[in-house]
Amino acid sequence: MIITKNISLKNAIQFTGHHLIWISLWVFVVALIHKYLGVRWLVIPWLPLSIIGTAVAFYVGFKNNSAYDRMWEARKIWGGIVNSSRSWGSAVKSLVSNQFTDNKLSDDELLSIKRKMIYRHIAWLYALRSQLLVVVSWEHANQGGLIGKAAHRYRRKFGVGMVDDEVTKIELELLLPPEEYKSCIQYKNTATQIIDQQFQDLSKLREESLINDFRHIALQQILQDFYDHQGKCERIKKFPLPRQYANMSAVFIGIFIFLLPFGMISEFEKIAPWGVWLSIPFTILIGWVYVVMEIVGDYSENPFQGMANDIPMLSLCRTIENDLREMLGETDLPEDILPKNGILM
C-alpha cells in the first residue's frame, strides 16, 4: 500500500517512463515519414480518431473501476479479519473458565489454554497471508521478460520477508506447538487446517465443561467468520479480473496510439508548416496518459500479489498479533511493520 500523500514525478517516471521510449520513437518515425518522404496521404481525419479514443477511454475506465472494486473489497475483508480477530481474543479470554466444571483448573492452566488458542489464531493470520502471496499465472511476477523481472525485484525491495517467506516460517514455529507445527506445514491449505484444529479444541473444552453450549456456539460462530473471510480472500486471489476485459484494453490502447500520430499531425499542420514538430510532444503526452490509465488498472486488479497496490497484510497481521498478545497481558511485543520507501506491506 502506497502511504505517501502524492506520487512524485520521479516515481511515476520510474514506473512508466520506459513506455515513453517506444511512444516517442513511433511518433518521431511517423513525423519524419510525413515530413521528408512526402507521404501526405497517410493521414486520418480527427473525427473517427476521437471516436476511437473516447471508446477506449470508456473501456479502460470500466476496467479500472472493476480493478478498484477488487482492491477495495480485499481491504474490507481484511478489515473484517481485524474485527473478528479482536472478538476472538476477547471471547476466548472471557468465555473459557472454571465456571461449569467440577475439576477446577489453576489460573496458569487456564491461561495456557487461552494462550494456545489465541497464538494459533495469530498463526492462522500469517499462514493465510503466505497462501495469498503465492504467485498465480496471471500475476506480474509470473510473467516473462521485463515485466516478470521487475515484479520480482519489486517484491524483494519492498516486501518484508515476502519472497522467501521467512516471516511466516518464523512466526508459525513460534506460535504453534512443535507437533502441531510439523503437521500443519504439510497441508496444502495450512490456514484451513489451523481453523479446523480450533474447532477440535473447542469440542474438547466443551467435553471438559470449560465452556457451556451457548459459549461453544458463540466461539464456533467466530471461527465460521474466519472461514468466510478466508474464502472471500481466496475468491479474489484465484479468480482473476476476466481476461477479456483485462487484456483487450491494452490491445485497444495499442491500436489507438498506433493511429494517433496520423491524426495529430494533420491537425497541427493546419496551424503552420512547422506544426508537424509541434504535434510530437502533444502526441507523446496523450499516448502516455492512456498507457498510465491502463497500467494503473493492471496493477490494481490483483491486491494479493506483493506489490505497491497490495493490501498491507503483514502490517495488519502484526497489528492484530500485538492486540491479542496485550489481551493476554504480554508486554514484550514484536515491532510494528514500518513502510519501506513509502510502501507499507
Side-chain angles (χ1 to χ4, degrees):
M1 179 179 70
I2 301 172
I3 64 167
T4 54
K5 179 176 176 59
N6 299 304
I7 298 176
S8 67
L9 181 61
K10 177 184 176 181
N11 289 337
I13 295 299
Q14 286 178 342
F15 193 55
T16 63
H18 58 286
H19 292 284
L20 286 170
I21 298 174
W22 65 265
I23 295 174
S24 301
L25 288 174
W26 173 241
V27 173
F28 271 105
V29 167
V30 174
L32 292 173
I33 291 174
H34 184 85
K35 185 68 175 178
Y36 294 110
L37 297 185
V39 189
R40 298 190 175 276
W41 56 267
L42 196 58
V43 296
I44 299 176
W46 183 249
L47 179 59
L49 191 61
S50 64
I51 293 175
I52 293 173
T54 302
V56 172
F58 275 114
Y59 199 94
V60 176
F62 171 78
K63 172 188 172 178
N64 285 8
N65 283 337
S66 301
Y68 179 81
D69 286 343
R70 285 168 60 86
M71 181 181 66
W72 186 240
E73 183 185 2
R75 181 60 186 90
K76 289 192 291 186
I77 293 168
W78 270 87
I81 290 175
V82 172
N83 297 338
S84 297
S85 297
R86 290 167 177 162
S87 296
W88 173 254
S90 296
V92 169
K93 181 181 176 182
S94 60
L95 298 183
V96 178
S97 69
N98 285 319
Q99 183 177 352
F100 307 103
T101 180
D102 294 329
N103 299 319
K104 306 294 184 182
L105 300 181
S106 67
D107 290 341
D108 287 342
E109 289 174 322
L110 278 176
L111 181 60
S112 177
I113 293 172
K114 296 174 182 179
R115 180 182 290 111
K116 180 181 179 181
M117 300 189 74
I118 288 177
Y119 273 27
R120 185 186 289 128
H121 175 68
I122 299 172
W124 173 80
L125 295 168
Y126 286 103
L128 176 60
R129 169 187 173 269
S130 177
Q131 292 173 194
L132 292 175
L133 288 174
V134 174
V135 179
V136 291
S137 60
W138 55 83
E139 290 181 344
H140 294 87
N142 203 32
Q143 306 307 306
L146 294 176
I147 294 177
K149 291 179 180 178
H152 280 291
R153 184 172 63 252
Y154 201 90
R155 284 162 62 95
R156 288 192 178 278
K157 182 178 180 181
F158 296 102
V160 180
M162 178 178 293
V163 176
D164 298 322
D165 205 19
E166 60 269 25
V167 171
T168 299
K169 293 176 182 177
I170 293 171
E171 293 292 341
L172 290 186
E173 195 166 6
L174 291 175
L175 295 167
L176 295 173
E179 66 282 357
E180 194 173 315
Y181 168 76
K182 292 178 182 178
S183 63
C184 278
I185 61 174
Q186 303 302 321
Y187 293 120
K188 291 183 178 180
N189 194 324
T190 300
T192 296
Q193 302 306 321
I194 289 176
I195 296 297
D196 179 68
Q197 188 59 53
Q198 297 279 54
F199 273 106
Q200 305 311 314
D201 275 17
L202 285 184
S203 295
K204 293 178 182 178
L205 293 178
R206 180 65 192 95
E207 291 172 3
E208 296 169 1
S209 297
L210 293 174
I211 54 175
N212 62 7
D213 288 337
F214 176 78
R215 296 185 178 188
H216 189 196
I217 293 172
L219 290 167
Q220 281 185 320
Q221 182 56 57
I222 300 177
L223 291 179
Q224 183 60 52
D225 290 341
F226 292 138
Y227 268 148
D228 289 342
H229 296 317
Q230 179 178 334
K232 291 175 181 178
C233 288
E234 290 171 343
R235 169 171 51 80
I236 295 175
K237 177 69 177 183
K238 296 180 180 180
F239 187 87
L241 183 70
R243 307 324 291 164
Q244 62 269 31
Y245 297 114
N247 293 134
M248 292 308 296
S249 62
V251 174
F252 293 157
I253 286 176
I255 294 172
F256 177 67
I257 293 176
F258 175 81
L259 298 175
L260 186 61
F262 300 107
M264 293 290 286
I265 288 174
S266 63
E267 289 296 314
F268 275 88
E269 267 196 327
K270 296 176 183 178
I271 300 174
W274 46 264
V276 62
W277 308 118
L278 185 61
S279 72
I280 291 175
F282 286 95
T283 306
I284 293 173
L285 178 61
I286 294 172
W288 180 72
V289 167
Y290 271 80
V291 168
V292 170
M293 285 171 24
E294 164 64 20
I295 290 175
V296 167
D298 190 45
Y299 280 87
S300 299
E301 68 184 58
N302 301 310
F304 301 129
Q305 67 170 336
M307 301 190 75
N309 292 311
D310 263 30
I311 305 306
M313 293 186 290
L314 183 59
S315 175
L316 293 171
C317 287
R318 185 58 52 82
T319 297
I320 297 170
E321 177 182 4
N322 287 341
D323 286 346
L324 297 185
R325 286 190 167 189
E326 283 187 323
M327 289 181 184
L328 293 171
E330 298 182 13
T331 55
D332 186 15
L333 305 175
E335 295 292 331
D336 291 337
I337 301 300
L338 300 176
K340 295 177 65 176
N341 300 321
I343 307 296
L344 182 64
M345 302 302 286

